[in-house]
Amino acid sequence: QVQLVESGGGLVQAGGSLRLSCGASGSIFTINAMGWYRQAPGKQRELVARITSGGRTNYADAVKGRFTISIDNAKNTVYLQMNSLKPDGTAVYYCDADTMMMTGRASLEEYDAWGQGTLVTVSA
């Protein structure tokens, strides 16, 4: 299996900044891409940002210009730098990894891993 652990969430005032981190571990052969999603109470989970191992990025319109996603391939870690936070950024942020996972038979399979989430609360 592949496991993801997020960290960096917390309380912040509007206009402030936080940096989220997500480390992947386990039977990883390669990571194709990693991303951040968020889910607020009563809302569906939505994409925040995604980055491929080659560095191509994709951002939700709501966070463009304020959030920056980056990946450290050597550490299997993705980061989300969140600046100019707004109250509508309050949500549980989840890390996702699109991986090629090593199986017990020395073969590979595509595996989509999810972390348990880290809570970000932005006060007005």
Side-chain angles (χ1 to χ4, degrees):
Q1 292 186 343
V2 177
Q3 298 195 71
L4 305 179
V5 179
E6 303 102 330
S7 64
L11 300 172
V12 64
Q13 293 184 350
S17 298
L18 287 173
R19 190 177 80 150
L20 307 183
S21 299
C22 172
S25 62
S27 303
I28 301 169
F29 184 73
T30 59
I31 293 179
N32 300 319
M34 299 185 76
W36 290 95
Y37 294 72
R38 66 186 180 188
Q39 187 169 25
K43 296 183 179 180
Q44 291 185 298
R45 188 174 299 187
E46 64 178 359
L47 173 71
V48 177
R50 184 177 182 269
I51 185 168
T52 69
S53 61
R56 289 197 294 270
T57 59
N58 184 32
Y59 295 93
D61 288 342
V63 306
K64 286 181 179 177
R66 298 186 296 115
F67 290 11
T68 302
I69 190 170
S70 60
I71 190 168
D72 186 336
N73 290 308
K75 296 181 179 179
N76 289 336
T77 300
V78 67
Y79 305 92
L80 185 67
Q81 179 66 46
M82 304 186 294
N83 298 327
S84 301
L85 281 162
K86 301 177 180 179
D88 62 7
T90 296
V92 177
Y93 285 69
Y94 295 92
C95 179
D96 171 74
D98 177 12
T99 75
M100 294 301 297
M101 181 178 69
M102 295 182 290
T103 71
R105 295 187 179 93
S107 60
L108 303 175
E109 66 178 43
E110 188 174 0
Y111 185 79
D112 187 16
W114 288 88
Q116 63 180 321
T118 185
L119 177 64
V120 172
T121 302
V122 185
S123 64

